[in-house]
Amino acid sequence: MSIIIKSVGPRDIKPSEITTEADYSGRREFIKKSGLLVGGALAGSLAVPAQASSAEGGKDFPGLIKTEYGKGRELTSYEDATSYNNFYEFGTDKEDPARYASSLKPKPWSVVVEGEANKTGTYNLEDILQKAQMEERIYHFRCVEAWSMTVPWVGFSLGEMLKRFEPTAKAKFVEFETLYDPDQMPGQKRKILDWPYRDGLRIDEAMHPLAFMATGIYGHTMPNQNGAPIRLIVPWKYGFKNIKSIVKIRFSEKMPPSTWNTLAPNEYGFYANVNPQVDHPRWSQASERKLGANFWEPRVKTEMFNGYADQVAGLYSDMDLSRYF
Ligand SMILES: Nc1nc2c(c(=O)[nH]1)N[C@H]1C(S)=C(S)[C@@H](COP(=O)(O)O)O[C@H]1N2
Ligand SMILES: [Mo]
């Protein structure tokens, strides 16, 4: 594996700009090869000013309940977590979302609830939030590209919200969809992915107490590049399951299609539980690079279910985990 250094002078190199080739270009290369990304960079046509980033420890959520989740863990810096992102609706380079996501308008926002539930309809996000028990949880987060971060998310239990829609006995899965609006999300003007981005969970996964809907990070309202105004956080699964800027929730009887699984089913599974023993076909999943780590620091070992095995392994007791990715 070669190293790509994306900088001009050696003194300007930020640790977050140094990444292995597999980390950096793995999926981008895949997309290029499959003919979806024409001409490489998206950046040129998307001239939108960068979003200002503020310091750590903001106070957009006064009176927020801090929880025991992840207490004492070493955090990734706010700067790294908000400047190195995957959000293909704004481009495929890690810097693109922070640069271009200011065209997203996260307010007002509504979420459509459909399918196998009694209380379907269109909900204003503000009404959803008013009923929610907001809290802060520190979770470790592991991208399938083998980089990771540890950040404090602000939000509420996914299961508690879903229960209020009263899913029926037929609701075996829940599916999420990202906004589709090429004016707000200019990356959607090209068929990089089959927009809108979608992903889903089995209903028992969705009801698990670790599953979280996040509306903020480090005490700040969610920055656009991290999936404003509301995104999913399932910390035992690879990052791509953690769908951003959600506008639709659908309860269904059948396993829903998901963006990456449909695009490359031999590389990205529906379950996508973090599993260091099952490599991606093109790179190892045994270890990870922490965002912001100095380049001389060793990679760290990836843990089964991203370190949440004690809590979630029971969801998969009837599955042969060596077969799933
Ligand atoms: N709508 C949408 N959601 C998305 C993505 C995306 O491209 N579009 N990328 C996913 C991937 S691959 C990762 S690793 C995480 C990255 O979240 P972060 O930018 O907050 O670190 O978002 C996930 N959610
Ligand atoms: Mo990812």
Side-chain angles (χ1 to χ4, degrees):
M1 244 191 279
S2 60
I3 300 285
I4 298 173
I5 298 173
K6 296 184 64 238
S7 190
V8 267
R11 266 163 246 92
D12 308 325
I13 299 172
K14 270 175 51 187
S16 62
E17 290 171 346
I18 300 173
T19 181
T20 66
E21 190 161 30
D23 290 351
Y24 182 74
S25 63
R27 285 189 291 172
R28 199 164 185 280
E29 289 307 311
F30 176 87
I31 284 173
K32 266 199 209 159
K33 280 189 207 118
S34 51
L36 286 164
L37 182 60
V38 188
L42 280 165
S45 58
L46 314 176
V48 181
Q51 254 202 323
S53 74
S54 39
E56 267 180 54
K59 292 215 166 45
D60 292 342
F61 301 91
L64 188 67
I65 301 171
K66 309 237 173 191
T67 61
E68 294 296 310
Y69 292 94
K71 208 174 153 188
R73 286 189 82 136
E74 192 192 328
L75 299 182
T76 302
S77 73
Y78 179 86
E79 182 61 30
D80 284 325
T82 57
S83 63
Y84 184 98
N85 300 97
N86 273 331
F87 201 169
Y88 278 21
E89 285 83 343
F90 298 101
T92 54
D93 282 343
K94 297 294 187 257
E95 302 81 6
D96 286 341
R99 254 188 228 145
Y100 303 121
S102 56
S103 53
L104 172 66
K105 298 285 162 269
K107 219 177 179 172
W109 194 266
S110 52
V111 177
V112 174
V113 178
E114 296 182 343
E116 296 294 340
N118 294 326
K119 302 206 164 160
T120 54
T122 303
Y123 292 83
N124 290 325
L125 179 59
E126 276 170 27
D127 296 335
I128 294 176
L129 296 184
Q130 241 161 30
K131 299 207 172 75
Q133 176 62 66
M134 299 297 285
E135 52 183 271
E136 182 176 85
R137 300 183 180 188
I138 296 166
Y139 278 156
H140 191 56
F141 183 103
R142 168 63 156 79
C143 174
V144 75
E145 298 161 334
W147 54 266
S148 67
M149 62 181 185
T150 304
V151 301
W153 300 104
V154 179
F156 52 91
S157 155
L158 171 64
E160 293 303 317
M161 175 187 73
L162 295 182
K163 276 183 214 157
R164 283 197 297 276
F165 304 132
E166 299 178 10
T168 70
K170 282 187 178 167
K172 303 282 189 251
F173 292 90
V174 55
E175 181 183 0
F176 303 91
E177 252 179 51
T178 295
L179 175 70
Y180 177 72
D181 182 347
D183 291 332
Q184 291 189 60
M185 298 182 150
Q188 292 174 333
K189 289 178 179 167
R190 294 194 187 180
K191 207 172 157 44
I192 301 164
L193 296 175
D194 182 17
W195 316 114
Y197 195 103
R198 332 162 189 242
D199 217 308
L201 298 169
R202 219 168 55 190
I203 196 78
D204 58 338
E205 297 180 309
M207 292 297 175
H208 190 280
L210 283 178
F212 202 58
M213 292 298 274
T215 60
I217 186 170
Y218 298 89
H220 293 286
T221 301
M222 191 69 81
N224 286 358
Q225 62 265 38
N226 293 91
I230 186 162
R231 58 104 47 103
L232 179 66
I233 297 293
V234 275
W236 69 98
K237 292 181 178 287
Y238 287 121
F240 68 87
K241 297 292 292 182
N242 296 250
I243 179 171
K244 296 176 168 180
S245 306
I246 294 168
V247 293
K248 193 179 279 185
I249 298 173
R250 185 183 302 115
F251 295 95
S252 56
E253 202 170 0
K254 293 204 185 95
M255 183 182 281
S258 49
T259 297
W260 282 101
N261 179 237
T262 305
L263 183 65
N266 55 330
E267 303 198 358
Y268 309 105
F270 174 82
Y271 285 96
N273 293 317
V274 175
N275 186 343
Q277 281 142 35
V278 179
D279 287 340
H280 184 279
R282 290 178 289 125
W283 59 84
S284 166
Q285 294 293 25
S287 69
E288 62 202 53
R289 177 181 60 88
K290 285 162 67 177
L291 280 197
N294 291 304
F295 69 84
W296 61 84
E297 290 177 51
R299 295 166 70 93
V300 298
K301 275 175 81 176
T302 290
E303 291 181 73
M304 191 65 199
F305 292 111
N306 202 26
Y308 300 96
D310 287 352
Q311 292 98 307
V312 302
L315 290 170
Y316 311 103
S317 48
D318 60 347
M319 278 171 51
D320 174 3
L321 294 174
S322 67
R323 288 185 50 240
Y324 286 88
F325 51 89

